[in-house]
Amino acid sequence: MSQSGPGSQTAIPTHQFGLFAGPLLAGLMFVLLPESLPESARILATILTWVVVMWITEPIPLPITALLGCGLCVVAGLGTMHTVFSAFAHPIIFLFIGSFFISEALSVHGLDRRFGNWLLSRKCVGSNPIRIMMAMGLAVAGLSMWISNTAATAVMLPIALGVLRALRQGYPNMGTFDTGFLLCLAYGAGIGGVATLIGTAPNLIGVGLLAQQAHITISFDRWMLIGLPLACVMLLVMFTLLYWLHPPPSSSSFHEESPILKISAPLPWSRGEQYTFAVFVLAVMLWILPALLSIWFEGDHVVVQWVRAHLPKELVPIFASGLLFLLPLNFRQGKFTLTWKEAANIHWGTILLFGGGIAFGELMVETELAKAIGQGMVNMFGIQSIWGLTGVAILTALVLTELASNTAATSMIVPVLIAIAHTANFSPVPPVLGACMAASLAFVLPVSTPPNAIVYGTGRIPVLRMVQAGLLLDVIGGMLIWGTLRMLGPLFGID
């Protein structure tokens, strides 16, 4: 924190505050938690309190906090070194690594800048920063409707960084617009996943549990009738919120002689660009292959099941990025599309950070802390009607998905919601759909969801700014989910 003005010498910097507040709040949490909670859950809640405070105030690097938090879990007996730290070898970690390799190759060979120049040359976009941000947000949301939000963000990030570099040539004073621009990617990816049944894992989990436990089938088109309008409204809200929090640079600061206005005819593609683009397209096609096959075959067809089992989304970038190290630019000189020196520049800290988030999420399930949070919130607010239950379901999912993975949050809360709905003689569909959609709105912390971690890894997003924007978007998003289900649900037989 900068110091200015009278008395500024007495101000306590945020990072110093976190060093003292973390242990104090953690101890207070342990004392205040009810003794009826299992001992392991109380200990984990204490450790998580310390970790979250340290993540928000950043007295030490976030990846180190994640490692130390996991170490404390081992010391406290919540798991062994093997069980706790195995989260750092979770399949999604390798999706990160492979996607980062592809992103690095896009940057090394200038494909991000090529796409950025192409985007800026569109008449509907031009050099207007807010229109550019909207175009990028719509692009990542569109991708996230069909592939994982992690993959969509990893694909678009190097392109976004290239666009920002081009923008800085025209607008030297960008203010905090960089932050809003990159948050638009992460949030757009999460919102895009709400639009379709296959957009994100919680959607499939919720629909699967409805079919298994309540014998209710939600088809692809019925989901989309609710999800797509909701996603469109949420994208509009997101753009408005980020515009308000991180306004674009003033047009008066624009340099008329900037290269941003002098986009010449594109140069011929180099061999490195061709190879990198081919690998990029291959990864995207393999990511959407299960969705394409589902159009032609039933979802449980042997072909679809084989592809899902033998070519999971986490494996796709490993194979695709591996080709970058095999495709030669100059075979005699031993020069390939991507070298290890270039690949080593990826954000390893982000990978460690999210590995810690996975570990804490799994421990919350094992210690039943997440279950206690979910049931406690349901009991706290009481249930008077189906829409009251839906509101509580959305709120509970919003809280859980910031602490555990959206998959774990959905898996825990949906069975509870179905049981409550049956007991109260309500339809379980609105609360279950509300919880599934809310589980995609993990916008507050870098570890809440992979897209947040990916854009945080650029080093251009202060945690407090992510918390500020994320909390506001969570609250508004939750209300929009409830309102959309309340208005459109009965029209389409979802009530």
Side-chain angles (χ1 to χ4, degrees), residues 104-121:
E104 187 67 22
L106 288 170
S107 179
V108 166
H109 294 287
L111 272 171
D112 55 347
R113 292 181 290 279
R114 181 182 287 275
F115 183 84
N117 286 336
W118 174 85
L119 181 66
L120 294 174
S121 68

Side-chain angles (χ1 to χ4, degrees), residues 305-466:
Q305 294 303 315
W306 189 94
V307 170
R308 292 190 186 276
H310 295 272
L311 199 62
K313 65 180 185 295
E314 295 87 358
L315 187 60
V316 166
I318 295 297
F319 277 132
S321 64
L323 291 175
L324 296 170
F325 296 90
L326 294 172
L327 294 170
L329 300 181
N330 189 317
F331 189 76
R332 290 187 176 182
Q333 295 179 6
K335 187 175 182 181
F336 295 87
T337 307
L338 189 66
T339 67
W340 179 251
K341 184 177 181 181
E342 294 164 340
N345 293 325
I346 68 172
H347 308 292
W348 297 104
T350 301
I351 294 168
L352 291 176
L353 175 65
F354 200 72
I358 295 172
F360 296 134
E362 292 177 348
L363 286 169
M364 287 182 68
V365 177
E366 293 172 6
T367 62
E368 298 188 345
L369 176 61
K371 182 179 179 181
I373 293 173
Q375 291 181 336
M377 292 190 70
V378 170
N379 295 333
M380 181 189 306
F381 292 97
I383 306 299
Q384 300 296 328
S385 67
I386 184 175
W387 298 110
L389 177 59
T390 301
V392 173
I394 292 169
L395 178 61
T396 305
L398 286 173
V399 173
L400 285 179
T401 197
E402 299 293 352
L403 303 172
S405 74
N406 56 11
T407 303
T410 310
S411 301
M412 288 180 290
I413 191 174
V414 168
V416 176
L417 292 172
I418 293 175
I420 293 174
H422 282 167
T423 301
N425 201 27
F426 296 150
S427 167
V429 176
V432 168
L433 295 192
C436 294
M437 292 174 175
S440 294
L441 310 187
F443 300 141
V444 176
L445 293 171
V447 296
S448 297
T449 186
N452 290 11
I454 290 172
V455 298
Y456 177 81
T458 63
R460 304 183 189 187
I461 301 180
V463 173
L464 287 177
R465 292 194 180 275
M466 181 179 282

Side-chain angles (χ1 to χ4, degrees), residues 138-201:
L138 290 172
V140 74
L143 276 177
S144 187
M145 290 170 62
W146 311 106
I147 66 177
S148 76
N149 55 10
T150 307
T153 309
V155 161
M156 295 300 296
L157 180 63
I159 298 170
L161 294 176
V163 170
L164 283 174
R165 278 194 292 269
L167 275 175
R168 282 193 211 96
Q169 296 175 353
Y171 299 92
N173 184 16
M174 294 279 283
T176 64
F177 183 70
D178 279 25
T179 298
F181 195 95
L182 294 173
L183 285 176
C184 180
L185 285 190
Y187 295 169
I191 293 170
V194 173
T196 64
L197 183 57
I198 61 172
T200 186

